[in-house]
């Protein structure tokens, strides 16, 4: 008889009991399932915390974007306000000159003309400081529909579609047409 077949051998008895009973298998499966559930619960808690953190970051970023937009809107409003203020301030000397000229009761025609010319120079200087430039095309210059407005077409001894005369100057402000020049244009022959 071999040692494995000897019923009195304790090692043989232990080896036969290492095979799991159904209760032990169920208990082991329950422990494994509990461990897996605990791991998933931990993972869920981590994901919830991460989600809460991301939601908080999103809300902070959204609030920051709103604040930046509001600050930009306020800055634009201030810029517009102060741009108009600056323009108005540059016109005050012109107003002062007009008032001073009108306050003179016995001005000669020469004095009125001299005062008017000085006031016109002040006005032109104020406009130039704010990038307001006259559009006054020369006779014979090509008609530009972006800067000129044709009032009429007239027969002329020059190329067709060229400026014959300027009836009223136009103006640009920072290269944008404020008012087109009113012109007559040479008719096709």
């Amino acid at each position: 008889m071999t040692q494995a077949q000897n019923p009195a051998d304790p090692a043989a008895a232990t080896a036969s009991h290492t095979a799991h009973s159904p209760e032990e298998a169920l208990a082991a499966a329950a422990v494994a399932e509990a461990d897996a559930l605990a791991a998933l619960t931990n993972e869920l808690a981590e994901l919830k915390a991460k989600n809460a953190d991301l939601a908080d970051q999103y809300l902070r970023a959204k609030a920051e974007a709103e604040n930046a937009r509001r600050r930009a809107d306020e800055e634009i409003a201030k810029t517009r306000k102060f741009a108009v203020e600056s323009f108005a301030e540059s016109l005050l000397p012109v107003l002062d000159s007009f008032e001073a000229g009108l306050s003179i009761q016995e001005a000669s025609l020469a004095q009125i003309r001299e005062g008017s010319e000085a006031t016109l120079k002040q006005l032109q200087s104020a406009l130039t400081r704010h990038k307001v430039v006259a559009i006054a095309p020369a006779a014979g210059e090509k008609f530009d529909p972006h800067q000129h407005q044709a009032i009429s077409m007239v027969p002329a001894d020059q190329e067709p579609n060229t400026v014959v005369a300027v009836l009223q100057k136009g103006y640009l402000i920072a290269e944008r047409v404020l008012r087109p020049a009113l012109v007559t244009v040479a008719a096709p022959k």
Side-chain angles (χ1 to χ4, degrees):
M1 209 182 208
T2 66
Q3 193 175 3
Q5 295 173 342
N6 185 354
D9 185 10
T14 308
S16 68
H17 285 315
T18 57
H20 297 293
S21 68
E23 293 82 20
E24 289 175 330
L26 281 175
V31 167
E33 193 173 304
D35 289 346
L37 183 59
L40 288 173
T41 303
N42 287 342
E43 185 179 350
L44 179 62
E46 288 174 9
L47 289 173
K48 282 183 178 180
K50 192 172 191 177
N51 186 37
D53 184 47
L54 290 174
D56 183 58
Q57 288 177 17
Y58 166 76
L59 290 176
R60 288 177 190 273
K62 184 178 176 186
E64 182 60 34
E66 283 294 318
N67 288 338
R69 185 195 53 76
R70 182 185 47 77
R71 284 192 300 269
D73 288 346
E74 288 173 0
E75 193 63 35
I76 289 169
K78 283 181 187 176
T79 300
R80 285 183 182 149
K81 175 184 172 187
F82 293 122
V84 170
E85 182 179 300
S86 173
F87 187 67
E89 186 178 317
S90 71
L91 293 178
L92 292 178
V94 177
L95 179 62
D96 294 340
S97 293
F98 274 126
E99 289 174 345
L102 291 173
S103 70
I104 300 173
Q105 297 298 322
E106 300 295 324
S108 69
L109 187 56
Q111 288 173 322
I112 292 172
R113 179 152 186 89
E114 184 180 328
S116 295
E117 287 173 352
T119 303
L120 177 61
K121 285 181 183 175
Q122 281 181 317
L123 179 58
Q124 288 170 332
S125 175
L127 292 174
T128 301
R129 272 196 308 276
H130 292 281
K131 296 179 176 62
V132 177
V133 180
I135 302 171
E141 190 175 311
K142 183 91 173 132
F143 175 76
D144 180 355
H146 301 291
Q147 292 189 357
H148 310 146
Q149 182 176 345
I151 298 302
S152 63
M153 295 191 90
V154 295
D157 243 1
Q158 61 188 52
E159 288 291 315
N161 295 322
T162 57
V163 174
V164 174
V166 176
L167 305 174
Q168 183 181 55
K169 288 183 196 176
Y171 290 91
L172 297 171
I173 185 166
E175 299 182 21
R176 182 174 166 210
V177 176
L178 195 56
R179 178 180 82 190
L182 300 181
V183 297
T184 55
V185 178
K189 295 178 182 180

